[in-house]
Amino acid sequence: NPTADAVPTESAVSERLLAWLVPGAFWVIALFWAAINFLPPINFDEALILTISERWLGGERLYVDLIDVNPPLIFVLNLVPALIERITGISGPIALVMSIIAFVAVSVWLSLKILPFVVGPGEAATRLILPPLIVIALLIFPGDNLGQREHLKVVSLMPYMLLAAARIREVPI
């Protein structure tokens, strides 16, 4: 009967709905958490590193006028929000959170592009759950450590780890 084939079964509709609702709930939670991160205050370590980067941008010398035990790369990375603050007038902490969220977004985008090489077509549950879990791992799980060196390393490494997983499966990249 051709009309029976055209009408999706109740289980197919349920599966499709579940395929949208489960990751959708994770995405909503992650976006809500990202919006909450725009609220002050930021972590005191992040605030100090941002302040040192702002002062470094203002002409003071790193490790001469500005003493800190952190390696220089974290200050270089914080020059981006310091420049955003200087150019646009957006407050430094908000510029920092925006920069971190943009960095996480790029990492998630790259990770989602690589994910089909890691998760096979027969692994529907993994394909359903892994994308929002990546977002949660990079955006929500860090909590108060959002923007710390360790968090930024994990954000940087997520696409690489997925590439490594694809290579372990011997998938050509």
Side-chain angles (χ1 to χ4, degrees), residues 121-141:
E123 301 166 303
T126 305
R127 193 176 284 269
L128 179 71
I129 296 297
L130 203 52
L133 285 180
I134 290 170
V135 172
I136 288 172
L138 298 182
L139 195 59
I140 295 174
F141 183 71

Side-chain angles (χ1 to χ4, degrees), residues 32-56:
F32 179 72
W33 188 265
I36 297 251
N37 275 314
F38 281 106
L39 302 174
I42 61 173
N43 181 297
F44 66 91
D45 283 338
E46 294 172 45
L48 175 63
I49 291 169
L50 179 61
T51 300
I52 289 173
S53 295
E54 289 168 345
R55 290 174 59 187
W56 186 26

